Amino acid sequence: QVQFVESGGGLVQPGGSLRLSCTTSTSIVSITNMGWHRQKPGKQRELVAAFSSGDITNYADSVKGRFTISRDNAKNTVYLQMNGLKPEDTAVYYCWMTYSRLYWGQGIQVTVSS
């Protein structure tokens, strides 16, 4: 069973920045698919950013140029740097990884509001 510790969420003003962190209970050195989704109120969960096939990164069109996904294998941690935040980025953000099956973190709230 894989466990996650997510941190870095909170309330930020439009235009501000946050960095989300997700630390796993297992080594991520060999994990090729992991990333972040988000779920807005009343909406389905959607991909934000992810690693696929190792170091290939994918981003939702709505966050390209503003968000950056990165990973530190030594710390078993994946990050999501979010710059230029907009009110429409308000959501619960979930980290995930595939390790024999798909695992989800518990989610962390990000609220962008003045």
Side-chain angles (χ1 to χ4, degrees):
Q1 184 74 13
V2 177
Q3 296 180 330
F4 300 83
V5 176
E6 297 168 323
S7 62
L11 173 64
V12 64
Q13 292 187 341
S17 297
L18 286 173
R19 188 177 79 156
L20 303 183
S21 300
C22 176
T23 301
T24 71
S25 60
T26 190
S27 171
I28 65 169
V29 169
S30 62
I31 301 299
T32 57
N33 296 298
M34 62 187 309
W36 296 88
H37 268 55
R38 67 186 179 189
Q39 188 165 19
K40 301 177 183 181
K43 302 290 186 180
Q44 288 189 332
R45 205 170 288 190
E46 62 181 6
L47 174 70
V48 177
F51 288 100
S52 62
S53 302
D55 292 333
I56 298 173
T57 56
N58 302 286
Y59 294 92
D61 287 343
S62 59
V63 307
K64 283 180 181 177
R66 299 188 297 123
F67 290 12
T68 303
I69 189 171
S70 62
R71 59 195 287 174
D72 186 335
N73 291 341
K75 295 182 179 180
N76 297 334
T77 300
V78 61
Y79 302 97
L80 185 67
Q81 178 66 45
M82 305 185 294
N83 298 328
L85 282 161
K86 304 175 181 180
E88 52 263 43
D89 294 317
T90 295
V92 177
Y93 284 71
Y94 297 88
C95 67
W96 58 269
M97 61 185 262
T98 55
Y99 180 67
S100 74
R101 68 169 179 89
L102 178 61
Y103 289 89
W104 290 97
Q106 75 278 9
I108 189 165
Q109 179 69 45
V110 171
T111 302
V112 184
S113 175
S114 55

